[in-house]
Amino acid sequence: MLSTYYFQRLFSYVAGVSLSEYIRRRRMSQAAFKLQRTDEKVLDVALKYGYTSPTSFSRAFQSVHGITPAAAKSKGTTLNAYLPIKFSVKVTGGNAMPYRIAETEAIRIAGIRTSHFSIRNRLCIFALHITNRYLPVRKINHVNAPAF
């Protein structure tokens, strides 16, 4: 069983956003949809989505959408929609892969760090210039390599 603390840390690492921020954005997306599509009052929508005062709801709504809930009710207003996050696990490997360890001169490794939400995009993308098929494992100089 995973504790709440470790679940929140794992979620933040994988999703790129804290669990509380994700929940707040999802609630505000649903609240915005409700305000635009129905005639419900702002107070009723605030209570439905867990806010006890219209002031706190308005502040949270404005931080996510950039406009007040009352302004969101007007037609043609553009709002931000935060869709549900979907996680998938792909297990690969299990096949034999021939390798050899070779000593070569030091090489320079350059990387680009992205901040997208998917796991693949959150990993560093390394551009390597290697003339042979085998990755040298010794004497590699790390240039500003990010910590994982």
Side-chain angles (χ1 to χ4, degrees):
M1 189 74 169
L2 194 62
S3 72
T4 305
Y5 171 76
Y6 286 110
F7 175 74
Q8 289 174 350
R9 288 191 62 188
L10 182 63
F11 184 92
S12 295
Y13 176 75
V14 173
V17 63
S18 71
L19 182 61
S20 59
E21 180 65 17
Y22 170 73
I23 291 170
R24 188 173 68 85
R25 288 178 182 177
R26 285 291 299 143
R27 281 185 182 162
M28 289 299 111
S29 293
Q30 292 173 333
F33 186 79
K34 184 69 90 176
L35 286 170
Q36 283 191 324
R37 301 286 184 229
T38 66
D39 291 332
E40 287 188 48
K41 295 179 183 177
V42 173
L43 178 60
D44 294 335
V45 173
L47 294 172
K48 180 176 182 173
Y49 289 100
Y51 289 85
T52 55
S53 75
T55 307
S56 60
F57 175 73
S58 182
R59 253 190 252 123
F61 193 92
Q62 213 164 357
S63 72
V64 171
H65 297 291
I67 60 172
T68 64
K73 289 182 78 67
S74 56
K75 293 192 187 283
T77 305
T78 303
L79 299 170
N80 297 318
Y82 292 95
L83 302 175
I85 293 176
K86 296 180 182 174
F87 297 103
S88 65
V89 177
K90 182 178 179 182
V91 179
T92 60
N95 299 328
M97 184 175 82
Y99 70 94
R100 71 179 173 93
I101 298 174
E103 281 194 40
T104 62
E105 293 188 29
I107 62 171
R108 181 165 283 203
I109 299 175
I112 301 170
R113 180 177 218 153
T114 62
S115 61
H116 298 287
F117 290 122
S118 72
I119 297 170
R120 183 178 297 141
N121 288 335
R122 285 187 53 82
L123 296 176
C124 293
I125 302 168
F126 290 106
L128 299 175
H129 178 63
I130 300 175
T131 57
N132 60 7
R133 292 176 40 175
Y134 304 101
L135 178 66
V137 293
R138 297 182 190 192
K139 294 185 179 180
I140 295 177
N141 292 332
H142 299 283
V143 180
N144 296 329
F148 288 99

